[in-house]
Short mmCIF file of all heavy atoms in Angstrom, two decimals:
data_model
loop_
_atom_site.label_atom_id
_atom_site.label_comp_id
_atom_site.label_asym_id
_atom_site.label_seq_id
_atom_site.Cartn_x
_atom_site.Cartn_y
_atom_site.Cartn_z
N LYS A 1478 80.54 105.98 156.25
CA LYS A 1478 81.90 105.67 155.83
C LYS A 1478 82.66 106.89 155.33
O LYS A 1478 83.76 107.18 155.79
CB LYS A 1478 81.88 104.58 154.77
CG LYS A 1478 81.38 103.27 155.28
CD LYS A 1478 81.24 102.28 154.16
CE LYS A 1478 79.82 101.83 154.22
NZ LYS A 1478 79.30 101.14 153.14
N TRP A 1479 82.08 107.60 154.38
CA TRP A 1479 82.78 108.74 153.80
C TRP A 1479 82.88 109.89 154.78
O TRP A 1479 83.87 110.64 154.77
CB TRP A 1479 82.09 109.19 152.51
CG TRP A 1479 82.42 108.28 151.38
CD1 TRP A 1479 81.63 107.33 150.82
CD2 TRP A 1479 83.67 108.21 150.69
NE1 TRP A 1479 82.30 106.67 149.83
CE2 TRP A 1479 83.56 107.19 149.72
CE3 TRP A 1479 84.86 108.89 150.80
CZ2 TRP A 1479 84.61 106.86 148.88
CZ3 TRP A 1479 85.90 108.55 149.96
CH2 TRP A 1479 85.76 107.55 149.01
N GLY A 1480 81.89 110.04 155.63
CA GLY A 1480 81.94 111.11 156.62
C GLY A 1480 83.11 110.94 157.58
O GLY A 1480 83.82 111.91 157.88
N TYR A 1481 83.32 109.72 158.04
CA TYR A 1481 84.42 109.49 158.97
C TYR A 1481 85.78 109.44 158.27
O TYR A 1481 86.79 109.76 158.88
CB TYR A 1481 84.17 108.23 159.79
CG TYR A 1481 83.15 108.49 160.87
CD1 TYR A 1481 81.83 108.07 160.72
CD2 TYR A 1481 83.48 109.19 162.01
CE1 TYR A 1481 80.88 108.34 161.69
CE2 TYR A 1481 82.55 109.46 162.98
CZ TYR A 1481 81.25 109.04 162.82
OH TYR A 1481 80.32 109.31 163.78
N ALA A 1482 85.81 109.07 157.01
CA ALA A 1482 87.07 109.15 156.25
C ALA A 1482 87.50 110.60 156.11
O ALA A 1482 88.67 110.94 156.32
CB ALA A 1482 86.90 108.50 154.88
N ILE A 1483 86.57 111.47 155.80
CA ILE A 1483 86.86 112.90 155.68
C ILE A 1483 87.20 113.48 157.04
O ILE A 1483 88.09 114.32 157.17
CB ILE A 1483 85.69 113.63 155.01
CG1 ILE A 1483 85.57 113.18 153.55
CG2 ILE A 1483 85.85 115.14 155.10
CD1 ILE A 1483 84.32 113.64 152.84
N ALA A 1484 86.51 113.02 158.09
CA ALA A 1484 86.81 113.50 159.45
C ALA A 1484 88.23 113.12 159.86
O ALA A 1484 88.93 113.91 160.50
CB ALA A 1484 85.80 112.93 160.43
N GLY A 1485 88.67 111.93 159.51
CA GLY A 1485 90.03 111.51 159.83
C GLY A 1485 91.08 112.39 159.15
O GLY A 1485 92.07 112.79 159.77
N ILE A 1486 90.85 112.71 157.89
CA ILE A 1486 91.78 113.58 157.17
C ILE A 1486 91.76 114.99 157.75
O ILE A 1486 92.80 115.63 157.89
CB ILE A 1486 91.44 113.58 155.67
CG1 ILE A 1486 91.72 112.20 155.09
CG2 ILE A 1486 92.21 114.65 154.92
CD1 ILE A 1486 91.20 111.98 153.69
N THR A 1487 90.57 115.46 158.13
CA THR A 1487 90.46 116.79 158.73
C THR A 1487 91.20 116.85 160.06
O THR A 1487 91.88 117.84 160.36
CB THR A 1487 88.97 117.14 158.94
OG1 THR A 1487 88.29 117.05 157.69
CG2 THR A 1487 88.81 118.53 159.50
N VAL A 1488 91.08 115.81 160.86
CA VAL A 1488 91.79 115.77 162.14
C VAL A 1488 93.29 115.74 161.92
O VAL A 1488 94.05 116.34 162.68
CB VAL A 1488 91.31 114.57 162.99
CG1 VAL A 1488 92.21 114.31 164.16
CG2 VAL A 1488 89.90 114.81 163.45
N TYR A 1489 93.74 115.07 160.87
CA TYR A 1489 95.17 115.06 160.55
C TYR A 1489 95.66 116.49 160.31
O TYR A 1489 96.66 116.92 160.89
CB TYR A 1489 95.44 114.19 159.33
CG TYR A 1489 96.84 114.37 158.78
CD1 TYR A 1489 97.92 113.76 159.40
CD2 TYR A 1489 97.07 115.19 157.68
CE1 TYR A 1489 99.20 113.93 158.93
CE2 TYR A 1489 98.35 115.37 157.20
CZ TYR A 1489 99.41 114.75 157.82
OH TYR A 1489 100.68 114.94 157.36
N TYR A 1490 94.95 117.21 159.46
CA TYR A 1490 95.37 118.58 159.16
C TYR A 1490 95.25 119.47 160.40
O TYR A 1490 96.11 120.32 160.65
CB TYR A 1490 94.54 119.17 158.02
CG TYR A 1490 95.06 118.76 156.67
CD1 TYR A 1490 94.27 118.03 155.80
CD2 TYR A 1490 96.34 119.09 156.26
CE1 TYR A 1490 94.74 117.65 154.56
CE2 TYR A 1490 96.82 118.70 155.03
CZ TYR A 1490 96.01 117.99 154.18
OH TYR A 1490 96.49 117.61 152.96
N PHE A 1491 94.19 119.31 161.17
CA PHE A 1491 94.01 120.11 162.38
C PHE A 1491 95.15 119.87 163.36
O PHE A 1491 95.72 120.83 163.90
CB PHE A 1491 92.67 119.76 163.04
CG PHE A 1491 92.42 120.51 164.31
CD1 PHE A 1491 92.00 121.82 164.28
CD2 PHE A 1491 92.61 119.89 165.53
CE1 PHE A 1491 91.78 122.52 165.45
CE2 PHE A 1491 92.39 120.57 166.71
CZ PHE A 1491 91.97 121.89 166.68
N GLY A 1492 95.50 118.63 163.59
CA GLY A 1492 96.60 118.32 164.50
C GLY A 1492 97.93 118.83 164.00
O GLY A 1492 98.72 119.39 164.76
N ALA A 1493 98.18 118.64 162.73
CA ALA A 1493 99.46 119.09 162.16
C ALA A 1493 99.59 120.59 162.22
O ALA A 1493 100.64 121.12 162.59
CB ALA A 1493 99.58 118.60 160.72
N ILE A 1494 98.53 121.29 161.90
CA ILE A 1494 98.60 122.75 161.86
C ILE A 1494 98.58 123.35 163.27
O ILE A 1494 99.45 124.14 163.62
CB ILE A 1494 97.46 123.32 161.00
CG1 ILE A 1494 97.70 122.95 159.54
CG2 ILE A 1494 97.37 124.83 161.15
CD1 ILE A 1494 96.54 123.25 158.62
N CYS A 1495 97.60 122.96 164.08
CA CYS A 1495 97.45 123.60 165.39
C CYS A 1495 98.57 123.23 166.36
O CYS A 1495 99.24 124.12 166.89
CB CYS A 1495 96.10 123.23 166.00
SG CYS A 1495 94.74 123.97 165.10
N ILE A 1496 98.78 121.97 166.59
CA ILE A 1496 99.81 121.56 167.55
C ILE A 1496 101.20 121.91 167.02
O ILE A 1496 102.06 122.40 167.76
CB ILE A 1496 99.70 120.06 167.86
CG1 ILE A 1496 98.37 119.78 168.56
CG2 ILE A 1496 100.85 119.60 168.75
CD1 ILE A 1496 98.08 118.32 168.76
N GLY A 1497 101.41 121.67 165.75
CA GLY A 1497 102.70 122.01 165.16
C GLY A 1497 103.01 123.48 165.21
O GLY A 1497 104.14 123.88 165.53
N MET A 1498 102.02 124.30 164.94
CA MET A 1498 102.26 125.75 164.97
C MET A 1498 102.49 126.25 166.39
O MET A 1498 103.28 127.17 166.60
CB MET A 1498 101.11 126.50 164.31
CG MET A 1498 101.02 126.26 162.82
SD MET A 1498 102.59 126.50 161.94
CE MET A 1498 102.75 128.25 162.02
N ILE A 1499 101.84 125.65 167.36
CA ILE A 1499 102.09 126.04 168.75
C ILE A 1499 103.55 125.75 169.12
O ILE A 1499 104.23 126.60 169.71
CB ILE A 1499 101.12 125.30 169.70
CG1 ILE A 1499 99.71 125.85 169.52
CG2 ILE A 1499 101.57 125.43 171.15
CD1 ILE A 1499 98.64 125.04 170.22
N ILE A 1500 104.04 124.59 168.74
CA ILE A 1500 105.43 124.24 169.04
C ILE A 1500 106.39 125.14 168.27
O ILE A 1500 107.40 125.61 168.82
CB ILE A 1500 105.68 122.76 168.74
CG1 ILE A 1500 104.93 121.93 169.77
CG2 ILE A 1500 107.17 122.43 168.75
CD1 ILE A 1500 104.96 120.46 169.54
N VAL A 1501 106.08 125.42 167.01
CA VAL A 1501 106.94 126.30 166.22
C VAL A 1501 106.96 127.71 166.82
O VAL A 1501 108.03 128.33 166.90
CB VAL A 1501 106.48 126.32 164.74
CG1 VAL A 1501 107.13 127.46 163.98
CG2 VAL A 1501 106.78 124.99 164.08
N LEU A 1502 105.81 128.20 167.26
CA LEU A 1502 105.78 129.53 167.87
C LEU A 1502 106.56 129.58 169.19
O LEU A 1502 107.23 130.58 169.47
CB LEU A 1502 104.34 129.98 168.10
CG LEU A 1502 103.55 130.31 166.83
CD1 LEU A 1502 102.09 130.60 167.18
CD2 LEU A 1502 104.17 131.48 166.12
N ILE A 1503 106.49 128.52 169.96
CA ILE A 1503 107.27 128.48 171.20
C ILE A 1503 108.76 128.48 170.89
O ILE A 1503 109.53 129.23 171.52
CB ILE A 1503 106.88 127.24 172.04
CG1 ILE A 1503 105.47 127.42 172.61
CG2 ILE A 1503 107.88 127.00 173.17
CD1 ILE A 1503 104.89 126.18 173.24
N LEU A 1504 109.17 127.68 169.92
CA LEU A 1504 110.58 127.66 169.53
C LEU A 1504 111.02 128.99 168.94
O LEU A 1504 112.14 129.45 169.17
CB LEU A 1504 110.84 126.52 168.55
CG LEU A 1504 110.71 125.11 169.12
CD1 LEU A 1504 110.85 124.09 167.99
CD2 LEU A 1504 111.73 124.85 170.20
N GLU A 1505 110.14 129.63 168.20
CA GLU A 1505 110.44 130.94 167.62
C GLU A 1505 110.56 132.00 168.72
O GLU A 1505 111.43 132.87 168.67
CB GLU A 1505 109.33 131.33 166.64
CG GLU A 1505 109.53 132.62 165.91
CD GLU A 1505 110.42 132.49 164.69
OE1 GLU A 1505 110.47 131.41 164.11
OE2 GLU A 1505 111.05 133.48 164.33
N TYR A 1506 109.71 131.90 169.72
CA TYR A 1506 109.73 132.86 170.83
C TYR A 1506 111.04 132.80 171.59
O TYR A 1506 111.61 133.83 171.97
CB TYR A 1506 108.55 132.60 171.77
CG TYR A 1506 108.51 133.52 172.95
CD1 TYR A 1506 108.10 134.84 172.82
CD2 TYR A 1506 108.91 133.08 174.21
CE1 TYR A 1506 108.08 135.69 173.90
CE2 TYR A 1506 108.90 133.92 175.29
CZ TYR A 1506 108.48 135.23 175.15
OH TYR A 1506 108.46 136.07 176.23
N PHE A 1507 111.54 131.60 171.83
CA PHE A 1507 112.80 131.44 172.56
C PHE A 1507 114.01 131.51 171.64
O PHE A 1507 115.14 131.23 172.06
CB PHE A 1507 112.81 130.12 173.34
CG PHE A 1507 111.86 130.13 174.50
CD1 PHE A 1507 110.72 129.35 174.49
CD2 PHE A 1507 112.10 130.94 175.60
CE1 PHE A 1507 109.84 129.35 175.55
CE2 PHE A 1507 111.23 130.96 176.67
CZ PHE A 1507 110.10 130.16 176.64
N GLU A 1508 113.78 131.86 170.39
CA GLU A 1508 114.82 132.03 169.38
C GLU A 1508 115.68 130.79 169.18
O GLU A 1508 116.87 130.86 168.93
CB GLU A 1508 115.69 133.24 169.72
CG GLU A 1508 114.91 134.54 169.73
CD GLU A 1508 115.76 135.73 170.10
OE1 GLU A 1508 116.98 135.56 170.33
OE2 GLU A 1508 115.21 136.84 170.15
N LEU A 1509 115.06 129.63 169.29
CA LEU A 1509 115.74 128.38 169.02
C LEU A 1509 115.54 127.91 167.58
O LEU A 1509 116.20 126.99 167.13
CB LEU A 1509 115.21 127.29 169.97
CG LEU A 1509 115.41 127.55 171.46
CD1 LEU A 1509 114.67 126.51 172.27
CD2 LEU A 1509 116.88 127.56 171.81
N PHE A 1510 114.61 128.56 166.90
CA PHE A 1510 114.18 128.09 165.60
C PHE A 1510 113.71 129.30 164.80
O PHE A 1510 113.02 130.16 165.33
CB PHE A 1510 113.02 127.11 165.82
CG PHE A 1510 112.51 126.43 164.61
CD1 PHE A 1510 113.22 125.44 164.00
CD2 PHE A 1510 111.28 126.78 164.09
CE1 PHE A 1510 112.71 124.79 162.88
CE2 PHE A 1510 110.76 126.15 162.99
CZ PHE A 1510 111.50 125.14 162.39
N ASN A 1511 114.06 129.36 163.53
CA ASN A 1511 113.60 130.44 162.66
C ASN A 1511 112.76 129.83 161.54
O ASN A 1511 113.29 129.13 160.68
CB ASN A 1511 114.79 131.22 162.11
CG ASN A 1511 114.35 132.45 161.36
OD1 ASN A 1511 113.17 132.74 161.24
ND2 ASN A 1511 115.33 133.19 160.86
N ILE A 1512 111.47 130.13 161.55
CA ILE A 1512 110.55 129.53 160.59
C ILE A 1512 110.84 129.96 159.15
O ILE A 1512 110.55 129.24 158.20
CB ILE A 1512 109.08 129.83 160.99
CG1 ILE A 1512 108.10 128.98 160.19
CG2 ILE A 1512 108.75 131.28 160.78
CD1 ILE A 1512 108.04 127.58 160.63
N ASP A 1513 111.42 131.14 158.99
CA ASP A 1513 111.70 131.65 157.64
C ASP A 1513 112.80 130.86 156.93
O ASP A 1513 112.84 130.83 155.71
CB ASP A 1513 112.09 133.12 157.70
CG ASP A 1513 110.95 133.99 158.18
OD1 ASP A 1513 109.78 133.60 157.96
OD2 ASP A 1513 111.21 135.05 158.78
N SER A 1514 113.67 130.24 157.69
CA SER A 1514 114.79 129.54 157.08
C SER A 1514 114.50 128.07 156.78
O SER A 1514 115.37 127.37 156.28
CB SER A 1514 116.02 129.64 157.99
OG SER A 1514 115.77 128.96 159.20
N VAL A 1515 113.29 127.62 157.06
CA VAL A 1515 112.96 126.21 156.88
C VAL A 1515 112.26 126.00 155.54
O VAL A 1515 111.36 126.74 155.17
CB VAL A 1515 112.06 125.72 158.04
CG1 VAL A 1515 111.64 124.28 157.83
CG2 VAL A 1515 112.77 125.87 159.36
N ASN A 1516 112.65 124.98 154.84
CA ASN A 1516 112.04 124.59 153.57
C ASN A 1516 110.62 124.07 153.84
O ASN A 1516 110.35 123.47 154.88
CB ASN A 1516 112.90 123.50 152.94
CG ASN A 1516 112.46 123.15 151.55
OD1 ASN A 1516 111.45 123.63 151.05
ND2 ASN A 1516 113.24 122.29 150.91
N ASP A 1517 109.71 124.27 152.91
CA ASP A 1517 108.32 123.82 153.08
C ASP A 1517 108.22 122.30 153.24
O ASP A 1517 107.40 121.80 154.00
CB ASP A 1517 107.46 124.27 151.90
CG ASP A 1517 107.22 125.77 151.89
OD1 ASP A 1517 107.39 126.39 152.96
OD2 ASP A 1517 106.86 126.30 150.83
N THR A 1518 109.04 121.58 152.51
CA THR A 1518 109.02 120.12 152.61
C THR A 1518 109.46 119.67 154.00
O THR A 1518 108.85 118.78 154.60
CB THR A 1518 109.94 119.50 151.55
OG1 THR A 1518 109.56 120.00 150.27
CG2 THR A 1518 109.86 117.99 151.57
N VAL A 1519 110.50 120.30 154.51
CA VAL A 1519 110.99 119.96 155.85
C VAL A 1519 109.93 120.31 156.90
O VAL A 1519 109.70 119.54 157.84
CB VAL A 1519 112.32 120.68 156.15
CG1 VAL A 1519 112.75 120.48 157.59
CG2 VAL A 1519 113.40 120.22 155.19
N LEU A 1520 109.28 121.43 156.74
CA LEU A 1520 108.23 121.82 157.67
C LEU A 1520 107.07 120.83 157.65
O LEU A 1520 106.54 120.46 158.70
CB LEU A 1520 107.73 123.23 157.35
CG LEU A 1520 106.78 123.84 158.35
CD1 LEU A 1520 107.43 123.98 159.71
CD2 LEU A 1520 106.31 125.20 157.86
N GLY A 1521 106.72 120.36 156.47
CA GLY A 1521 105.66 119.35 156.35
C GLY A 1521 106.04 118.06 157.03
O GLY A 1521 105.21 117.41 157.68
#
């Protein structure tokens, strides 16, 4: 039970960080988005 509860939370962070950062980097590359101007809450 606890192992899979922790695994679910880990997958949440992994998906948010990895997939989200890939999209943010693509938008940053095409200069559609500037990561420095975004509030941390909005980014979350």
Side-chain angles (χ1 to χ4, degrees):
K1478 294 174 236 166
W1479 282 105
Y1481 284 102
I1483 293 170
I1486 293 170
T1487 304
V1488 167
Y1489 168 78
Y1490 278 119
F1491 178 78
I1494 292 170
C1495 292
I1496 296 173
M1498 292 310 288
I1499 289 170
I1500 291 174
V1501 167
L1502 290 174
I1503 290 170
L1504 292 174
E1505 183 83 27
Y1506 178 75
F1507 290 111
E1508 298 179 1
L1509 299 172
F1510 185 74
N1511 188 0
I1512 192 75
D1513 295 332
S1514 65
V1515 177
N1516 188 354
D1517 289 340
T1518 306
V1519 173
L1520 188 61

